[in-house]
């Protein structure tokens, strides 16, 4: 049932020092370890005061609470023990040293507790991704989206989708038994094809969900335009501090400067770029190349240049900067001054409006690039048009079912698991 026979231990609470520290052990030797370090074991899920001692020397380490969660009714599906101690660095270090000195017990790898929970069916892959995002969340929108994943929002939807595919697969397999009998299969195959088309349309609906990257990493707002257009000054004004070098000398910004900010609860990453122009300077050419690449990667593009010269972009805001130095406002642009905070208010309103087209809706659902790729593959397997052949339909549906199993973490996702759980701390 478990991924390994070792018992793992780690600090599962916050940074030290703290009022209380929670040290967790999970695995076949967890209960035995608790008995060696605290004496007679309490009833499961009943906190008991104990003196914790080093198993090898019986030297007292600390006093605290002991909690037992026998398998399979635990967060990992294994025997789990929690030692609640005082939160000093010395106490936690002594506890971890005492635990890992016992044969078969070692310190956990990052995310190993959660990985065992997934392996033992206590958590699915989408919930594990939600937990990873929740641990990284800095804004309330990030928290809400991550918590929806953790609660199994995607899992419930994809379990329902899998049941539909299973039903269609069974009907396709049954239709194979009647291949060649037009009287038996005519109406059945037509209905099966229609339902497969409806399944394909449902997957198309999934592909219209927003990407998770902007909600997880922050909406990427790129400031671009010709040299000396006021990009760095605007960035500093938005950030409320000097993040970028400002100079009257053209071509001052030669590299990419990223500034994470939260505005009205939404996480952004503002990107200052090198000015666009032809140059013989090799370093400046590299900067211009990076600017063009970042324009292509922008969720929102702030163009500080002539309105008619902006690159094509789905979410474009044209800005006429240095409004305090102009004799007349520029039509078709937000006229702003880095020296006038009030002039930035319309820009923030425009950013908020565009952000609503990027972030998840009320259901909080979104897709990672990996999930989107699997959905695109499923749509292509079903075909357009859907084939009118029971044998081919059965094979296609089997392949789609395998893709959904991948999405739920049931098979073929070892590399993905390594990447997800590498984001976790030791205690998760």
């Amino acid at each position: 049932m478990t991924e390994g026979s070792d018992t793992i231990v780690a600090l599962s609470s916050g940074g030290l020092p703290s009022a209380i520290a929670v040290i967790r052990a999970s695995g076949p030797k967890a209960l035995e370890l608790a008995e060696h370090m605290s004496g007679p074991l309490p009833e499961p899920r009943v906190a008991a005061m104990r003196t914790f001692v080093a198993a090898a020397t019986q030297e007292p380490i600390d006093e605290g609470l002991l909690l037992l969660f026998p398998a399979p009714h635990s967060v990992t599906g294994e025997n789990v023990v929690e030692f609640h101690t005082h939160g000093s660095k010395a106490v936690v270090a002594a506890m971890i040293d005492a635990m890992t000195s016992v044969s078969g017990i070692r310190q956990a790898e990052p995310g190993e507790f959660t990985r065992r929970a997934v392996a033992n069916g206590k958590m699915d892959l989408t919930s594990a991704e939600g937990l990873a995002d929740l641990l990284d969340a800095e804004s309330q929108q990030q928290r809400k989206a991550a918590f929806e994943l953790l609660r199994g929002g995607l899992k419930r939807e994809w379990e329902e989708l899998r049941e539909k595919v299973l039903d269609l697969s069974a009907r396709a397999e049954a239709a194979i038994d009647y291949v060649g009998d037009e009287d038996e299969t005519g109406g059945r195959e037509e209905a099966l094809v229609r339902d497969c088309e409806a399944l394909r349309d449902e997957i198309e609906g999934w592909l219209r969900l927003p990407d998770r990257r902007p909600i997880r990493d922050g909406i990427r707002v790129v400031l671009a335009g010709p040299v000396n257009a006021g990009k760095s000054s605007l960035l500093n004004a938005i950030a409320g501090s000097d993040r970028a070098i400002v100079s009257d000398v053209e071509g001052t910004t030669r590299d990419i400067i990223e500034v994470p900010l939260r505005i009205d609860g939404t996480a952004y990453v503002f990107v200052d770029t090198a000015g666009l122009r032809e140059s013989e300077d090799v370093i400046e050419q590299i900067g211009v190349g990076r600017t063009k690449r970042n324009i292509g990667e922008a969720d929102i593009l702030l163009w500080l240049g002539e309105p008619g010269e902006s690159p094509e972009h789905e979410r474009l805001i044209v800005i006429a900067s240095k409004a305090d130095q102009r004799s007349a406002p520029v039509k078709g642009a937000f006229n702003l001054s880095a020296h006038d905070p009030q002039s930035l208010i319309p820009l923030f309103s425009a950013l908020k409006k565009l952000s609503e087209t990027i972030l998840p809706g009320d259901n909080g659902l979104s897709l990672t690039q990996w999930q989107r790729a699997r959905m695109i593959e499923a749509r292509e397997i079903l075909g357009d048009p859907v084939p009118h052949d029971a044998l081919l339909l059965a094979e296609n549906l089997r392949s789609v079912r395998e893709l959904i199993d991948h999405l739920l973490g049931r098979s073929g996702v070892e590399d993905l698991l390594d990447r997800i759980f590498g984001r976790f701390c030791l205690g998760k």
Side-chain angles (χ1 to χ4, degrees):
M1 179 176 67
T2 62
E3 288 201 321
S5 59
D6 287 345
T7 295
I8 54 175
V9 298
L11 174 69
S12 292
S13 52
L16 303 175
S18 61
I20 297 172
V22 179
I23 303 166
R24 180 184 290 169
S26 177
K29 283 194 172 184
L31 299 182
E32 180 183 342
L33 175 67
E35 189 170 17
H36 284 324
M37 296 187 67
S38 64
L41 298 180
E43 292 294 318
R45 295 173 183 76
V46 177
M49 193 71 181
R50 290 290 189 269
T51 297
F52 303 130
V53 302
T57 64
Q58 294 300 298
E59 177 186 357
I61 299 174
D62 193 19
E63 289 185 341
L65 296 177
L66 180 69
L67 276 164
L68 310 180
F69 302 90
H73 306 296
S74 70
V75 66
T76 63
E78 304 174 323
N79 290 329
V80 172
V81 176
E82 289 185 357
F83 301 84
H84 295 225
T85 69
H86 293 96
S88 83
K89 294 180 181 179
V91 167
V92 172
M95 289 288 291
I96 297 292
D97 287 344
M99 292 174 176
T100 54
S101 66
V102 177
S103 176
I105 297 177
R106 61 173 173 82
Q107 191 152 352
E109 298 292 332
E112 192 168 3
F113 286 93
T114 308
R115 185 164 189 151
R116 292 189 177 197
V118 172
N120 293 331
K122 292 295 181 177
M123 182 180 290
D124 73 289
L125 183 60
T126 63
S127 297
E129 288 188 282
L131 179 57
D133 289 350
L134 187 62
L135 294 173
D136 291 338
E138 295 183 359
S139 72
Q140 291 303 312
Q141 286 180 329
Q142 289 171 331
R143 177 191 62 79
K144 291 176 182 178
F147 188 59
E148 180 61 28
L149 280 182
L150 180 60
R151 294 176 63 191
L154 278 178
K155 177 186 178 181
R156 291 190 297 271
E157 299 285 348
W158 283 343
E159 289 284 7
E160 291 180 7
L161 186 63
R162 188 177 189 276
E163 286 300 315
K164 292 178 182 178
V165 176
L166 278 173
D167 177 67
L168 291 172
S169 294
R171 289 166 57 188
E173 295 289 346
I176 294 172
D177 294 337
Y178 293 95
V179 169
D181 191 336
E182 294 291 336
D183 294 333
E184 289 287 345
T185 63
R188 292 184 183 182
E189 285 195 2
E190 289 179 7
L192 180 60
V193 169
R194 286 196 301 270
D195 290 342
C196 286
E197 290 172 344
L199 176 66
R200 185 196 59 213
D201 293 343
E202 183 174 349
I203 291 174
E204 285 281 0
W206 277 98
L207 290 172
R208 288 192 287 271
L209 286 177
D211 288 331
R212 191 173 307 153
R213 180 199 52 75
I215 186 68
R216 185 186 62 211
D217 301 334
I219 296 173
R220 196 168 181 84
V221 182
V222 175
L223 290 77
V227 295
N228 208 26
K231 297 183 293 296
S232 298
S233 296
L234 179 59
L235 174 64
N236 289 338
I238 293 172
S241 62
D242 292 339
R243 300 293 187 95
I245 298 174
V246 177
S247 170
D248 291 332
V249 178
E250 293 184 351
T252 300
T253 302
R254 296 192 172 198
D255 205 352
I256 303 301
I257 298 173
E258 296 187 357
V259 180
L261 293 173
R262 287 194 298 277
I263 301 175
D264 293 333
T266 299
Y268 295 91
V269 178
F270 286 86
V271 184
D272 188 18
T273 63
L276 294 171
R277 69 170 177 181
E278 298 295 328
S279 174
E280 298 298 324
D281 188 313
V282 175
I283 301 300
E284 190 170 357
Q285 289 175 2
I286 294 173
V288 170
R290 291 178 178 177
T291 294
K292 293 178 179 178
R293 184 170 65 251
N294 273 271
I295 289 174
E297 296 172 350
D299 296 312
I300 298 174
L301 176 62
L302 304 187
W303 175 253
L304 284 78
E306 293 298 323
E309 298 177 359
S310 64
E312 291 188 7
H313 197 278
E314 182 181 1
R315 302 180 186 90
L316 174 69
I317 297 177
V318 179
I319 294 174
S321 61
K322 305 179 183 181
D324 54 325
Q325 302 176 22
R326 298 177 185 273
S327 58
V330 176
K331 294 182 179 180
F334 286 84
N335 289 266
L336 310 178
S337 169
H339 303 293
D340 180 10
Q342 292 299 313
S343 71
L344 300 180
I345 293 176
L347 172 60
F348 291 150
S349 297
L351 282 173
K352 181 178 181 180
K353 188 173 181 179
L354 285 178
S355 298
E356 290 172 353
T357 69
I358 299 172
L359 300 174
D362 293 337
N363 62 11
L365 297 180
S366 57
L367 297 180
T368 65
Q369 290 184 346
W370 178 82
Q371 291 166 342
R372 189 175 301 279
R374 300 289 82 72
M375 282 292 185
I376 290 174
E377 191 175 349
R379 179 192 62 190
E380 292 176 350
I381 287 172
L382 286 171
D384 187 13
V386 172
H388 289 62
D389 181 274
L391 283 168
L392 189 54
L393 282 173
E395 179 61 23
N396 290 351
L397 289 166
R398 182 192 60 78
S399 297
V400 170
R401 188 169 70 250
E402 289 179 354
L403 288 172
I404 297 175
D405 284 341
H406 290 180
L407 290 169
L408 290 168
R410 293 178 176 176
S411 63
V413 290
E414 283 305 309
D415 291 343
L416 182 65
L417 292 175
D418 290 340
R419 178 167 55 82
I420 291 173
F421 297 125
R423 297 168 55 195
F424 284 62
C425 60
L426 296 182
K428 282 293 184 183

